[in-house]
Amino acid sequence: MSEKKVVKPYNEENKSKKEEVAEMFNNISAKYDFLNHFLSLGIDKLWRKKAIKKLGAIQPKRILDLATGTGDFAIAALKLNPEKIVGVDLSPGMLEVGKQKMKKKGVDHIISMEQGDSENLPFDDNYFDGLTVGFGVRNYENLEKGLSEMLRVIRKDGMAVILEFSKPKKFPVKQSFNFYSKNIIPLLGKSISKDSSAYTYLPESVEAFPEGQDFINILEKVGYKDVTSTLVSGGIATIYVGRK
């Protein structure tokens, strides 16, 4: 059985996936928020609301938001009235945009934005009540290691909520999404962000990601309990929930 090809934004031999993902997000950070909401037609905001509602079941006081980017998921989590939210991302460019956003919104005393690696988190065991990851786990270099680190830093009975793209299976969403993600997103993404690879990497990384039951199996393998999945928008994305 041949080894599965690692999907990277730029496919440079001398760089790891982690390095390339950080570089890609640095390159598109200035246009990221606009493109994110524009290309998703704003539906991503509804997905985050649904995901945060699930996290509300444990009334978390300390929340970790991984692959935080510019902090949209962290901002959505404010609805749960936590004492502290920590956003972590590999990309300094994305974090800088996020920090300015938090200051502008007057929430930088609750949400801190920190550079870090999801596969090597600088936090104590059992430190957070819950965590979120929005469209980030498919960018992990070592998926199982990243998921294990996430589990390590949440408390017993704590909750991880993962929002990730998936591949719609039913007509007409399947056909429409395939055309949109493989043709429209790369074209618009390239013209607005000026990065020719970033929005080609998006559909490629979605295609390569082990979604649905395959991903649930991985979550259970590394130790998550009570794992559930909920399709949103006809299967364009999935909300996975697991407990420690």
Side-chain angles (χ1 to χ4, degrees):
M1 193 176 184
S2 61
E3 194 176 326
K4 197 166 185 180
K5 181 178 177 285
V6 176
V7 175
K8 302 193 295 182
Y10 305 112
N11 292 311
E12 295 177 22
E13 282 184 25
N14 61 338
K15 287 184 180 175
S16 67
K17 178 175 180 178
K18 201 174 291 184
E19 289 170 322
E20 288 199 17
V21 165
E23 180 185 344
M24 177 188 76
F25 282 113
N26 282 338
N27 289 344
I28 65 173
S29 58
K31 301 283 187 181
Y32 178 80
D33 277 347
F34 169 76
L35 274 167
N36 204 23
H37 304 316
F38 176 67
L39 293 175
S40 71
L41 311 175
I43 300 170
D44 60 307
K45 294 178 183 177
L46 296 175
W47 297 342
R48 286 190 193 88
K49 276 186 183 174
K50 284 189 175 183
I52 290 300
K53 198 171 179 184
K54 291 180 182 294
L55 187 60
I58 61 166
Q59 299 180 312
K61 291 301 170 195
R62 284 196 283 209
I63 299 172
L64 176 63
D65 182 41
L66 290 175
T68 192
T70 63
D72 279 347
F73 222 157
I75 289 167
L78 287 169
K79 192 171 184 186
L80 303 179
N81 297 315
E83 292 166 4
K84 185 70 181 168
I85 302 172
V86 180
V88 171
D89 201 277
L90 276 173
S91 164
M94 296 286 276
L95 289 167
E96 191 50 44
V97 174
K99 284 174 184 174
Q100 296 308 317
K101 201 152 76 174
M102 301 314 160
K103 283 179 186 170
K104 196 173 176 183
K105 290 181 176 291
V107 296
D108 52 321
H109 61 295
I110 300 174
I111 301 174
S112 66
M113 305 287 278
E114 301 176 13
Q115 189 175 3
D117 179 357
S118 299
E119 295 170 33
N120 297 284
L121 292 170
F123 306 110
D124 292 338
D125 295 0
N126 311 306
Y127 184 75
F128 293 97
D129 299 308
L131 65 79
T132 53
V133 192
F135 311 112
V137 292
R138 76 178 189 287
N139 295 325
Y140 286 4
E141 192 160 69
N142 184 324
L143 181 58
E144 288 189 19
K145 189 179 180 192
L147 295 173
S148 297
E149 269 292 88
M150 287 160 50
L151 191 63
R152 178 183 69 78
V153 300
I154 56 174
R155 63 166 168 80
K156 190 178 185 308
D157 297 320
M159 182 184 285
V161 178
I162 300 165
L163 174 60
E164 190 52 86
F165 284 115
S166 42
K167 298 180 278 289
K169 307 293 187 288
K170 293 182 179 177
F171 177 86
V173 181
K174 176 183 176 180
Q175 287 75 10
S176 304
F177 179 71
N178 283 349
F179 178 80
Y180 186 67
S181 66
K182 287 172 184 173
N183 297 282
I184 308 299
I185 287 178
L187 186 68
L188 291 175
K190 179 182 176 180
S191 65
I192 296 170
S193 74
K194 308 304 179 194
D195 187 307
S196 60
S197 300
Y199 290 90
T200 304
Y201 167 74
L202 171 65
E204 287 175 353
S205 61
V206 172
E207 190 67 34
F209 185 71
E211 59 165 339
Q213 189 59 49
D214 289 339
F215 186 54
I216 289 171
N217 291 344
I218 295 169
L219 287 167
E220 291 176 340
K221 178 186 171 186
V222 299
Y224 289 84
K225 298 173 183 173
D226 307 325
V227 180
T228 62
S229 67
T230 306
L231 296 176
V232 290
S233 298
I236 293 173
T238 304
I239 302 167
Y240 301 93
V241 177
R243 289 192 182 243
K244 185 167 181 177

